[in-house]
Structures are given as C-alpha cells and as structure tokens.
Amino acid sequence: MQSLSFPLAPFAGDADLPEAADVVVIGGGIIGVCTALELAERGVSVLLCEKGLIGAEQSSRNWGWTRQMGRDPRELPLCMESLRLWAGMNERIGADTGWRRTGIAYLSYTRRELDHWRNWEKIGAEHGVDGRMLSRTEIDTRLPGNDGRILGVLHTGSDGKAEPWIAVPAIAAAARAKGARIVTGCAVRGIETASGRVSAVVTERGTVACRQVVIAAGMWSRLFAGNLGIDFPQLKVLGPVARVEGVPLISDMPVGAENFAFRHRQDGGYTIAVRNRAIAPLTPDHFRLLGDYLPGLRTSWRELSPRIGRTFLEDLATARRWALDRRTIFEQVRILNPDPVPGYTRKALHRLARAFPAFQGARITHEWAGYMDATPDAIPVIGPVPALPGLNIASGFSGHGFGIGPGAGRMMAQLILGEKTLVPADVFAFTRLRPGQAQPAAA
C-alpha cells in the first residue's frame, strides 16, 4: 500500500472471504463501516470489502466536525439523529473515537454573513436545534484573542467533533467484533445477477453469494454503478487540509468563517482549511452531467475553483465498462491519495493569523487532500436502486459524510431489513435524481 501524508489508525482485516453473506458492503469508509456495524448488531451476515485500507480516503481526510448547524433543512433531521448516535458511539463500541460535545461556531465578518446565520438560526429553531447568536461578551469569552472584527457568532452547543483517522478504524473493529467480516486489500470488480436481481459479488479474490449489496464507495460509486448500467450522478470535489502546531488552545470547539476553518485536535495541533472554496478538477463527467449540476451551480459557483489538468486525462483514459475476470481500476488505485495543495492551506493559515493572531506562530506539520463525492443537490443517496433489486447506494455525501455517517448507516440497514427508518427515506431516494430508473430493467 502507498504511504499517506497523515496518520491513520491500523486495522487488520480478515484473511479469507466467506462463500456467502446476506449483505455485501463495498467500501470501508465511514458510511460502509457504520452500515456494517448496524447490520452485525442485528445478527445479519455482512461482509465488507475494501480495496485498500479502512478509512484511508476521504473518511480520514475530513475536518472531523459532527454538526447540525448550517445543514440543508432536508438533511437536518438525519444530521440530528447522527449526532445522537455519535454521542453514544464510544460507549457503544467500547473504544475512543475522539468524539466530544464541544459545540461549533460560525463567525460573521460582514452583514451578509450575519444575515445568513441569523436566518439559519430560525431554521434550526424550527427543527429543535439549539443554535443561537452569541452576545459580544460570550464571543470574547469563547473565542479569546480574536482581532475584534467579528460582527456575530452562531453557536450550537450540542454539536461536536471526532478524530476521523481514529474513529473509522475503531467503528470497523467494533463491527468485526460483533460478527461482520471485513476484508481489506480486496477490490470488488462487479455484481452477478440471477432472475433479475443481485445474486453475488465478484472480487479479485473470488465470488461471494449474496442477496443485497451496498455501494458505499465514495468517489468511486459512480464508476462502479456505471458498469452495471446504472447512471448515478456524482462528481468529485477536492478538499485541501493541513495540520498545524505551535498554537495555544483558543477554543476546543470547531470554528468556521466565510473563508477559513479550524478544529483543535486531540494530539494538541489544529486541523485547518479554507472554507467555502473547494477545488473542482474538471473531468469528462463534468460535461456529461452538466445538465444535472447547472441549477445548483447558479447559486454555488463561487464556492468552487475549477481546474483542468492531468485528472481530466486520467479520467478520460479510465475504462467505464470492464469484464469481471480482468484486473480493474480498483486494483490499480488501492488508495486515492491526491497531492496536497500548499497554496490553499497556507491561504487558510494566513487568514487565521489575521483573525486570531495566536496562529502567527503556527507551523504546518502535515498537508493532504481528499476527494468528496457530490450529488447535484448536495444531498446523499441512501437507499435501493429500483432498476436492480438487491442493489443499494449510500454515496454522494457532498462533504457531510463523516458527521452524518452513523445515521446513514442505520438508515441503510433499516431499508435493507424492511424496518421503519429513523427519518423519512424519500429525501435520500435514488429516484429523486434519476426518476427514469424507477423500475427494474426487465419491466
């Protein structure tokens, strides 16, 4: 396996594949491991296959925030349920995920930002979220050493944070202890069908019979689904991040502003990033899916920085259909490990040092980047694909996957087992994006 530019807690997978499982989960990120945990706790025979290492892609590269504040109202109920699950996760799995209820704060430096967060305060109140605007005294108490330019702060005390690089392997270990089979370094090449429904998965190590499959492959989900004839609209967005040290404790809660964000880490450093400005490496899919994404781009284009480079050519050269007895791109790229973007993280540090002068002495120790999987409406798909009975997708989390992972895993398990879901499932249905694929292909 290739080396990573940040730490990742070790996880040793099972040595052998089973011959059969009730459910096969494809992908060992936060969504996959939470789904496996939920199924294993219910006594379901579940196999999770990860082509590389558990949590090695975006699930360990994110900021580590677990928040309700600022979420889309459609997604907010699931975010709230996920936060409740995070609050009990350490006890549930018997291990430390780094989760703490610290609260989260969003800072306003302009009237436009202030109006935005005041409006969201009302949205949150309608859903029972404890977000509120802080007084000037509270701002200076909770955010000591700020430069005095802050006009307002929206604070949600019930939100929290965790350590992604610890949490995902820890949840995977708990799922395994409760009966899930987890095999790493094992790419799933495709799916076999019988009588018009899922019957098995084909991996690089052999075939496993099953009745249900969950594609929780993050950025890879669209490519994998495409080989099945499923058009899943999803694009990748690059998020650069860095770890810095040499800064005293300003606040234990994650803090975001219009163009920077920081989170104090368990190891004493800070995770920092540019907020509201992700990189969009252009690929052929950007042109194929332009019609799907155009409505959203009209309002969010300022948050993206399009770039064209080798990613376009690499994606153009990637086979979109393949035979299951041949080596695939999933075996060629075990861990998607994009190069850091030093200019972005240094920009974040520069802005932080102005807003909080204590960051002037910060030293960057690690830099990395990760690909987020984004849908046209920035809401994930969690549920079945009607065109192929037995196939489910849990992907397209649009940068929200770590925080929403526990709720998404529970909902996915509930849907597979025919249980009542913890929040209405239609918001996350595949058919909202592809209503033309609402019936089995043979119908």
Side-chain angles (χ1 to χ4, degrees), residues 109-116 118 151:
Y109 288 93
T110 67
R111 283 289 169 188
R112 180 184 63 81
E113 295 165 13
L114 189 60
D115 290 344
H116 172 78
R118 280 176 172 163
L151 296 183

Side-chain angles (χ1 to χ4, degrees), residues 64-66 83 98-105 142 155-162 251-255 263-264:
W65 298 25
T66 61
L83 193 67
W99 192 86
R100 304 290 184 271
R101 193 183 300 280
T102 57
I104 288 178
R142 291 178 180 271
H155 174 261
T156 302
S158 59
D159 282 343
K161 64 179 182 179
S251 175
D252 196 38
M253 64 182 173
V255 175
R263 173 184 66 85
H264 191 253

